[in-house]
Amino acid sequence: MDDTHETPSSQVPTTGARVLLVADPGLPTTRAHAIEGQLQQLLDEAYSPPISLEVSTAMLRLQADETLDLSQAVELSESFGDPDAVLLLTEIPRVQDGHPLIAEIFPEQNIAVISCPTLGVVTTGRRIIDVMMSCTVRMKPLHDARDTSRYERWWTTWREGDGGEAHPLLLASRFLGGARTVTGMVMGNEPLRTAPRLSSALAAAAATGAFGIFYSSIWSMSMYLSTQRLVGIGVLAMLAITAWLIIGNKLWDAPKNAGLARVVLLYNLSTALTLLMIVGLLYVVLVVLIFAGGLIVIAPEYLSEIIGRDAEVVRYLDIAWLSAAMGIVAGALGSSFDKETDLRSLTHGQRERQRMYAEEKD
């Protein structure tokens, strides 16, 4: 493995050098604009004269075999006047020999493709900057012998790709890199922004859960269930409803061939975790609403008389937790009949299918 890509010294920028940063719509574009100032500063420090940084948004297309359409990147480069380096920040998760592929450099075109999800969710901005700088100095070496290892991280490895057209690849470890990629994909699905799509489910869940406030049998049942069992009931309800949403909305993707199995597994894991987060958020909101309603509606003296115990705050919380477990089931069932609730658009797999047809739509 070689972590250095040699580039002819004639390619070292001398005057008016330019770097083009193109990001996918959505979270990649948001992150690109967030790091623009810091990246510009590092480029100015690394190169003399300073480099001009341009930021643009475009959806990177996929070919029919689900590989990157590099010709589109070349067209983008030409449309911006052939900058000295092109950095493409995409939300597409990429895998090479079972390892998450963080970045790939195409020296002949002076293009580097950086996969945003492979960088996870912690200090992502700093990681993106480091990867972009690492790619840039490989495409356009620095004038001096400055140590460029400061742009590299211990969990990444540069190596030359296999085959006749070998080019630098930045890889992460299989296990930790895979986990980091899944969390990055979940962040790309933006579960907090997706949750409002289930407003009808929340309404159905709240209506059903409210019965727990008025039925004393629910009060008594919650009193005689241990904390562990109550927690287990809530977790099982969330897992069951997550599975229901995945199956009912056909969100589980199957690989078209064995070579795509690893990537499709990442899609499916990210979809499951995204929905689980949304369901969990719905559950917490429901518990809070029912808990507040119980405090208002159920008089402490009456609750004590029914359950034969002191009406402590924790008793109201037990009622709310058990009622929410029932309500979350009704809410998920209700969302299945809500034709305006389209969960497929939150998945990476669906967005990648949109990339394949982007050229035809254009």
Side-chain angles (χ1 to χ4, degrees):
M1 293 188 292
D2 184 8
D3 63 352
T4 303
H5 177 71
E6 297 296 336
T7 307
S9 58
S10 61
Q11 293 184 4
V12 177
T14 56
T15 58
R18 296 165 56 226
V19 171
L20 172 63
L21 169 55
V22 181
D24 275 339
L27 187 60
T29 291
T30 300
R31 286 177 169 167
H33 285 296
I35 67 168
E36 183 178 357
Q38 293 174 276
L39 182 60
Q40 179 70 71
Q41 182 179 356
L42 288 175
L43 289 170
D44 289 343
E45 293 174 356
Y47 295 97
S48 180
I51 282 188
S52 172
L53 174 64
E54 301 175 57
V55 179
S56 181
T57 299
M59 179 174 284
L60 193 62
R61 291 197 299 261
L62 291 177
Q63 297 176 345
D65 60 355
E66 300 194 11
T67 59
L68 287 174
D69 185 358
L70 190 60
S71 64
Q72 182 207 12
V74 174
E75 292 172 3
L76 282 170
S77 177
E78 293 174 348
S79 68
F80 279 85
D82 290 321
D84 296 271
V86 179
L87 304 171
L88 301 179
L89 183 63
T90 178
E91 70 167 355
I92 301 174
R94 308 182 67 204
V95 175
Q96 178 74 24
D97 298 330
H99 293 265
L101 177 57
I102 299 173
E104 183 175 17
I105 297 176
F106 301 91
E108 294 184 0
Q109 294 85 3
N110 290 326
I111 292 174
V113 181
I114 297 101
S115 177
C116 195
T118 59
L119 298 172
V121 296
V122 180
T123 64
T124 309
R126 180 71 258 174
R127 291 174 178 177
I128 293 175
I129 292 174
D130 287 344
V131 172
M132 288 185 173
M133 286 300 299
S134 186
C135 290
T136 303
V137 299
R138 279 169 171 74
M139 291 188 286
K140 298 296 179 183
L142 301 175
H143 289 291
D144 52 30
R146 189 180 310 170
D147 181 17
T148 60
S149 62
R150 59 177 176 157
Y151 303 129
E152 299 175 5
R153 293 177 176 263
W154 63 268
W155 44 268
T156 63
T157 304
W158 279 102
R159 82 174 192 194
E160 292 293 333
D162 301 326
E165 300 180 357
H167 47 269
L169 306 173
L170 181 61
L171 304 175
S173 64
R174 290 176 183 265
F175 179 73
L176 291 179
R180 191 178 296 110
T181 300
V182 170
T183 58
M185 293 173 70
V186 171
M187 183 63 66
N189 288 336
E190 300 182 291
L192 293 181
R193 296 183 64 178
T194 303
R197 299 185 192 181
L198 291 177
S199 57
S200 60
L202 177 60
T208 303
F211 281 100
I213 299 177
F214 300 100
Y215 281 85
S216 58
S217 59
I218 301 296
W219 309 353
S220 300
M221 186 182 300
S222 66
M223 296 306 105
Y224 286 96
L225 290 174
S226 65
T227 301
Q228 294 81 355
R229 179 164 290 189
L230 281 171
V231 171
I233 290 172
V235 171
L236 284 176
M238 287 186 283
L239 291 175
I241 297 316
T242 299
W244 171 268
L245 291 174
I246 291 174
I247 296 172
N249 291 276
K250 300 180 181 179
L251 299 179
W252 195 264
D253 292 318
K256 295 180 180 178
N257 56 65
L260 294 174
R262 174 79 176 181
V263 177
V264 172
L265 175 62
L266 296 177
Y267 297 156
N268 290 332
L269 288 176
S270 68
T271 297
L273 288 177
T274 300
L275 284 176
L276 188 58
M277 286 183 62
I278 294 173
V279 171
L281 177 62
L282 179 63
Y283 193 97
V284 170
V285 170
L286 202 55
V287 169
V288 172
L289 291 176
I290 297 174
F291 176 73
L295 289 176
I296 295 172
V297 173
I298 306 173
E301 297 79 9
Y302 183 56
L303 178 61
S304 297
E305 181 181 342
I306 295 297
I307 64 176
R309 301 183 187 181
D310 293 336
E312 300 173 349
V313 173
V314 69
R315 305 305 173 196
Y316 287 90
L317 184 58
D318 289 341
I319 294 172
W321 185 269
L322 185 59
S323 301
M326 298 187 304
I328 201 75
V329 173
L333 292 175
S335 70
S336 300
F337 299 98
D338 183 1
K339 297 186 182 299
E340 296 182 358
T341 303
D342 180 17
L343 296 180
R344 289 195 61 82
S345 59
L346 72 83
T347 67
H348 270 76
Q350 176 67 11
R351 293 199 294 273
E352 289 208 9
R353 279 186 282 275
Q354 292 173 351
R355 293 174 188 273
M356 294 180 188
Y357 300 109
E359 187 172 10
E360 297 178 6
K361 293 178 180 179
D362 293 343

